[in-house]
Amino acid sequence: MSDDMRITSPVSIKTDSASRVAYDLMRFIGEDIESGDKSNREYWLTLYRQCYKATHGHTLKYLLDRNND
């Protein structure tokens, strides 16, 4: 069984979605990270999660508290 996908209207890509802003913020912050840390998957996932929460208005104290995951 195959899925039939049809596009019936113009496709728009939102570049200001919370997910995209979080991703861009993560990349911006990651530019200053030492190269050894850049290969740590847990670091990047944690950083993205914090950036995503920041786009939704959470405070810095809340973002850095690991008990709020």
Side-chain angles (χ1 to χ4, degrees):
M1 181 191 258
S2 66
D3 293 333
D4 184 17
M5 183 190 308
R6 296 174 195 213
I7 299 173
T8 59
S9 63
V11 175
S12 68
I13 299 172
K14 295 182 179 182
T15 59
D16 61 346
S17 69
S19 298
R20 180 58 195 221
V21 171
Y23 177 77
D24 289 343
L25 180 59
M26 177 194 72
R27 289 194 49 161
F28 178 75
I29 292 170
E31 289 178 358
D32 292 333
I33 302 303
E34 297 294 324
S35 62
D37 291 335
K38 286 187 176 185
S39 63
N40 184 341
R41 183 176 183 181
E42 182 180 2
Y43 168 79
W44 287 107
L45 292 173
T46 300
L47 180 58
Y48 176 78
R49 185 180 69 247
Q50 291 171 339
C51 292
Y52 186 80
K53 287 179 180 179
T55 64
H56 288 85
H58 294 283
T59 64
L60 181 60
K61 181 179 179 180
Y62 178 82
L63 295 174
L64 298 177
D65 184 359
R66 288 196 166 255
N67 294 325
N68 291 324
D69 290 339

